[in-house]
Amino acid sequence: MKIFLKFILFVIFNCCFINPIIGQTATIDAAPIQKNELNIPPIEVVIDSVLKNSAMLSFRKHHIGVKTSTLKSERIFWTRNIGLQADTRFGNLNNFATSEDGVSNTAAFTTAKQFNYSAGVYLKFPIFDFFNRKNQIKLAKLEVEEAKSMADFQEQEIRQTVIRLYQDLILKYKLLRIKSQSLGNGRVNMQMVEKEFRNGVVAISEYVRITSMTSNMESDYELAKSNFLVAKQLLEDMAGFVFNVTLSK
C-alpha cells in the first residue's frame, strides 16, 4: 500500500511540476543564436582568399621580381665596357699645307665647306670588374633566393595565422551556443522562482541567489558573444569577404 501511495505521489509531482516546466521552455526565447551549425566557407577557401588579399605577401613577391631584375642586370653588366662611337662634322674647314722639293718652299691656305665623319668601337677592360664579376653574380643570386625564402615564410606564417583564427572562431561559436543554452535555462528557472517567490514558496535569500546567477549568465553570454564577433570580424578582414553568420535577437 505504501509503495502504491508513493507511485501516485510521484505521478502527481511529475504532472504538476515537471510538465509545466517543459511547456514553459517551449515558449521562451532561450537560445539567442540560431541552432544551425556555423555557416562559414571551408578553411582552404579562407586561406586562399587571405593569401590573395595579403599586402605583405604581395610585397614579398614584388621584391622577388626586383632581385631577379638585379640579377639580370649583373649578368650583362660587363657590356658597359664595350661601345660604339661615331662623330660627324660639316662646315667651313681651314686647311694649311706646306711642301718642300729642295728648290723652293710653297705654302697654301684654303677654305672650303666639307663633310667629315668618323666611327669606331671602344673596349675597356677594368681589372676590378673582371675579378669581382663572379662575386657580384653570386650575391645577386643569393638575394633572389633570400627574397623567395621570405615570401615562402610569409605565406607559411599567414596559413598558420588563418588556421588559428579559423579554429578559434569555431571554438568561440561553440562556447557562445553553450552560454546561450545556459542563459535560456537560467531564464526559465528565474521565471519559476519569481512565481514561487510571489506565492511565498521561495525565501527571499533563494530568490536573490537565483537572480544573481541569472545576471551572471547574462554577463557570460554577452562576453561570449563579443568574443565571437571579434574573432569573426578579424578573420573576415583578412579574407576580404563577410561570413554569412547571423545571430537572432
Side-chain angles (χ1 to χ4, degrees):
M1 185 67 179
K2 292 181 178 179
I3 297 176
F4 180 74
L5 289 175
K6 290 181 179 179
F7 177 75
I8 295 297
L9 292 174
F10 176 78
V11 173
I12 294 173
F13 177 78
N14 280 274
C15 293
C16 296
F17 293 98
I18 297 180
N19 288 337
I21 294 175
I22 297 175
Q24 290 175 2
T25 304
T27 59
I28 295 176
D29 186 13
I33 64 175
Q34 293 181 347
K35 294 183 179 181
N36 60 318
E37 293 298 328
L38 184 59
N39 184 24
I40 60 176
I43 188 171
E44 294 82 7
V45 176
V46 178
I47 290 176
D48 291 340
S49 180
V50 172
L51 292 176
K52 291 179 181 178
N53 288 277
S54 175
M56 180 57 70
L57 183 59
S58 178
F59 167 77
R60 295 299 182 188
K61 291 182 177 180
H62 290 159
H63 194 59
I64 295 175
V66 172
K67 294 303 180 181
T68 303
S69 299
T70 302
L71 176 60
K72 292 180 180 179
S73 298
E74 289 294 337
R75 291 185 184 277
I76 61 173
F77 189 70
W78 61 273
T79 57
R80 79 190 192 283
N81 297 320
I82 301 176
L84 177 66
Q85 187 173 9
D87 179 63
T88 59
R89 295 180 182 180
F90 177 78
N92 293 328
L93 302 178
N94 298 326
N95 296 320
F96 180 79
T98 61
S99 64
E100 184 176 353
D101 56 3
V103 179
S104 62
N105 294 330
T106 60
F109 179 80
T110 61
T111 299
K113 289 183 178 181
Q114 296 181 0
F115 178 79
N116 292 345
Y117 66 91
S118 62
V121 177
Y122 69 87
L123 173 64
K124 296 188 295 182
F125 194 73
I127 301 299
F128 176 79
D129 291 347
F130 175 77
F131 288 103
N132 195 51
R133 171 173 166 75
K134 185 177 180 180
N135 291 331
Q136 290 297 112
I137 293 178
K138 182 179 179 180
L139 177 61
K141 288 181 178 179
L142 290 175
E143 289 178 346
V144 172
E145 294 300 323
E146 181 185 34
K148 290 181 179 179
S149 298
M150 288 299 297
D152 293 339
F153 172 76
Q154 190 71 47
E155 182 174 345
Q156 183 181 17
E157 192 176 48
I158 291 174
R159 289 180 180 275
Q160 294 175 356
T161 301
V162 173
I163 291 173
R164 285 194 295 268
L165 292 177
Y166 191 91
Q167 297 301 327
D168 184 63
L169 178 63
I170 295 176
L171 174 62
K172 284 182 169 55
Y173 178 78
K174 291 180 179 179
L175 292 176
L176 179 60
R177 292 194 62 182
I178 293 173
K179 297 297 182 182
S180 174
Q181 293 173 358
S182 298
L183 177 59
N185 295 333
R187 287 173 176 173
V188 172
N189 191 30
M190 187 63 197
Q191 285 189 354
M192 291 179 55
V193 171
E194 286 180 350
K195 290 181 179 179
E196 293 178 351
F197 177 73
R198 286 194 295 267
N199 295 330
V201 178
V202 176
I204 187 171
S205 59
E206 181 67 11
Y207 176 78
V208 172
R209 187 181 70 85
I210 297 299
T211 302
S212 178
M213 290 177 57
T214 305
S215 299
N216 291 335
M217 291 178 182
E218 292 274 1
S219 177
D220 292 341
Y221 169 77
E222 292 298 331
L223 180 61
K225 181 178 179 181
S226 176
N227 291 335
F228 169 76
L229 292 177
V230 170
K232 173 176 172 290
Q233 291 173 4
L234 284 175
L235 196 55
E236 287 175 344
D237 183 68
M238 293 184 66
F241 61 87
V242 178
F243 299 150
N244 186 22
V245 178
T246 58
L247 301 179
S248 61
K249 299 180 180 180

